[in-house]
Amino acid sequence: MLQTEPQIQEVLRIKEFGQDFFLQVTDAQAGHSGLSGATPSEAVSWGKVDPDRLPDAVVCYTDTTIAMPILTHYALGEAQAGKLRRLYDARPRMMTALTREYFHPHKVKKLDGTDPLLD
């Protein structure tokens, strides 16, 4: 999930501030390089997490075989059924928006010099 932010910001050059939520379950310790710098504050420095949301970031130092059943039980017990988002059905609209955001502000053209939004 966190790799989408560098893709959006650095490769596509679309202004973005990082993920709004950060929940990490790990049994590695940051002090012995076990996390390889993958802490919430390090994620902020790479633009992966919105710096304004850093105080809400959660790191749970435990094994996933303990954490996932607890998180799943909580989510299933607390969540109310909502309308399905049907993201795949929205894919054409989202791709058009992404293409427009990428090509227009940066005046990027296709390799053949044509405007992809006019195709």
Side-chain angles (χ1 to χ4, degrees):
M1 286 292 295
L2 290 177
Q3 296 306 331
T4 58
E5 289 299 327
Q7 170 73 17
I8 290 170
Q9 297 170 36
E10 296 174 19
V11 177
L12 298 177
R13 296 179 285 162
I14 296 173
K15 186 172 181 163
E16 176 59 35
F17 298 104
Q19 301 288 341
D20 292 337
F21 302 98
F22 186 96
L23 170 62
Q24 182 178 46
V25 176
T26 182
D27 60 358
Q29 296 295 316
H32 303 291
S33 300
L35 281 174
S36 300
T39 59
S41 58
E42 182 67 18
V44 166
S45 72
W46 284 94
K48 296 178 180 183
V49 175
D50 185 337
D52 294 336
R53 303 306 298 255
L54 184 60
D56 300 324
V58 175
V59 179
C60 181
Y61 292 98
T62 189
D63 190 82
T64 56
T65 60
I66 297 168
M68 285 308 295
I70 294 170
L71 290 171
T72 302
H73 178 74
Y74 174 78
L76 292 174
E78 295 295 319
Q80 296 178 357
K83 183 180 177 187
L84 295 177
R85 295 183 186 193
R86 308 293 304 170
L87 290 177
Y88 188 79
D89 294 343
R91 185 178 183 277
R93 179 179 48 80
M94 291 188 293
M95 288 300 297
T96 298
L98 181 64
T99 302
R100 186 172 310 282
E101 179 74 19
Y102 176 71
F103 284 102
H104 270 289
H106 308 293
K107 308 289 189 254
V108 175
K109 302 283 185 189
K110 284 185 174 181
L111 291 177
D112 64 5
T114 63
D115 186 336
L117 297 174
L118 299 177
D119 289 347

